[in-house]
Amino acid sequence: MTNAQKWVAAFLFLFVILFALSRITKEDASSDFDFDFYGEEEQSQTSSSELNGLTLAQRIGCSSCHGVDLKGTNQAPTLVNVKDHWNRTELINYLRNPSSYGNDQRFIDYKNQYPNVIMPAYEKVDIKELGAIADYILSLEN
Ligand code: HEC
């Protein structure tokens, strides 16, 4: 090998190493910033927020009257198909102040069916948590 050939070989070698290194760092970076990665993240957040609605309802105590699955007990009605009666905002307002919504026939029936149980007002609960609970309830259907 001539000196010139050695230099060319050395440069080629360096080039290959640098190229390989850049591939490796690119792969690392893509696992942090790759768009699809966020897509997955978003999806798992959506499903966990659905979960949270039920978990929150159980933690705050809705389930002690409405049942673990919120499908009713002898203390309180089922929350399945509540979406037929409420939109999200109204439902949140209702949860914050149920006593101001007692006039529908449905509520008169509830009063007869559950005479000793009063739906508590949840005006002190974080509005975002009520929102997550409302989203969950509105997703319940037969
Ligand atoms: C102490 C028992 C009790 C607890 C705890 C309770 N509820 Fe109720 N809930 C009732 C009763 C009883 C009714 C029937 C309405 C009435 O009597 O005024 C009712 C009614 C409702 C309704 C209206 C149903 C309809 O047909 O429109 C919703 C929605 C509701 N509750 C959601 C919740 C949520 C969400 C929680 C927790 C944040 C909760 N409740 C906690 C007893 C309870």
Side-chain angles (χ1 to χ4, degrees):
M1 249 196 227
T2 66
N3 254 354
Q5 279 172 327
K6 279 183 194 159
W7 276 110
V8 170
F11 271 116
L12 272 178
F13 183 69
L14 203 70
F15 200 77
V16 168
I17 297 273
L18 282 177
F19 184 72
L21 271 178
S22 81
R23 289 296 296 253
I24 291 166
T25 45
K26 208 172 169 189
E27 256 161 45
D28 274 1
S30 75
S31 66
D32 278 330
F33 301 113
D34 189 84
F35 181 76
D36 274 328
F37 179 79
Y38 277 112
E40 277 168 32
E41 174 107 313
E42 243 167 60
Q43 268 180 2
S44 68
Q45 273 174 0
T46 321
S47 52
S48 75
S49 83
E50 277 166 26
L51 235 181
N52 277 342
L54 179 60
T55 314
L56 280 169
Q58 290 166 342
R59 199 188 306 149
I60 292 172
C62 319
S63 3
S64 64
C65 292
H66 291 280
V68 254
D69 51 4
L70 305 182
K71 293 185 178 168
T73 67
N74 59 5
Q75 305 279 303
T78 175
L79 301 181
V80 172
N81 291 336
V82 150
K83 66 168 172 40
D84 297 344
H85 304 289
W86 304 103
N87 66 34
R88 189 174 190 269
T89 311
E90 287 168 348
L91 180 55
I92 293 173
N93 287 338
Y94 171 78
L95 296 177
R96 291 167 59 85
N97 188 9
S99 58
S100 61
Y101 289 84
N103 301 322
D104 287 14
Q105 184 57 46
R106 182 165 97 262
F107 283 99
I108 296 165
D109 294 344
Y110 288 153
K111 285 275 171 300
N112 293 327
Q113 214 177 334
Y114 315 101
N116 303 315
V117 192
I118 293 167
M119 164 72 194
Y122 288 96
E123 81 278 1
K124 297 219 170 77
V125 174
D126 186 303
I127 195 85
K128 284 187 191 145
E129 297 192 347
L130 289 182
I133 293 174
D135 286 338
Y136 180 76
I137 292 175
L138 293 172
S139 77
L140 290 174
E141 56 186 333
N142 275 337

